[in-house]
Amino acid sequence: YKQYNLTVSELFNRPEAATKGNAHPLVSALSGHDTVGAVALDSLGNMAAATSTGGITAKMAGRVGDSPLIGCGAYADNLVGGVSCTGHGESIMKVTLARSVNNLMEMCGLPAREAAEAALDRMRTRVGGCGGCIVIT
């Protein structure tokens, strides 16, 4: 368990990642991970969201990440929008990030970008997590 915590800390909480190159700080912090996400709206108005991950180095045996958990790594609602997330899985699970973005759009009327930024800020302050998401409405 200690090995795992050190690995997560090294991967996601490195202040120096934000200063390397010209990349956006989030891109630098998350580089080297293999999350693939997609959000789509079909011609009938049906929304779909999906997230797949390559996992994290030195994960605990039996660990289930955020990708397969509804509302964490992905969430879609035909009336609101769809979200796919990437980042520190434990943090994403603790705040149900994808559903949080949708809730902010549905309940507070926030546009997609503002909802994503607010949900990511909340994750950062509440649980110290780093991540990102794609959103369509």
Side-chain angles (χ1 to χ4, degrees), residues 34-99:
D34 299 325
T35 300
V36 176
V39 183
L41 179 66
D42 73 12
S43 62
L44 300 175
N46 295 308
M47 186 73 63
T51 302
S52 177
T53 182
I56 191 167
T57 305
K59 67 181 180 178
M60 290 186 292
R63 174 190 179 270
V64 174
D66 60 288
S67 294
L69 301 177
I70 297 170
C72 295
Y75 192 81
D77 182 327
N78 286 351
L79 301 177
V80 181
V83 183
S84 176
C85 302
T86 185
H88 180 223
E90 277 69 15
S91 298
I92 290 171
M93 289 184 283
K94 287 176 183 176
V95 300
T96 56
L97 183 59
R99 180 64 177 142

Side-chain angles (χ1 to χ4, degrees), residues 101 105 110-117 135-137:
V101 174
M105 293 189 298
L110 292 180
R113 182 184 186 112
E114 289 178 29
E117 289 173 351
V135 185
I136 64 171
T137 59

Side-chain angles (χ1 to χ4, degrees), residues 95 97 100-101 104-105 108 110-126 133:
V95 300
L97 183 59
S100 293
V101 174
L104 289 167
M105 293 189 298
C108 301
L110 292 180
R113 182 184 186 112
E114 289 178 29
E117 289 173 351
L120 290 164
D121 285 344
R122 179 176 173 265
M123 181 175 71
R124 199 170 11 263
T125 44
R126 293 280 307 270
C133 55

Side-chain angles (χ1 to χ4, degrees), residues 3-20:
Q3 170 81 30
Y4 177 73
N5 276 339
L6 291 174
T7 302
V8 169
S9 179
E10 289 168 8
L11 290 173
F12 292 101
N13 298 318
R14 298 176 305 151
E16 70 276 7
T19 60
K20 288 184 180 176

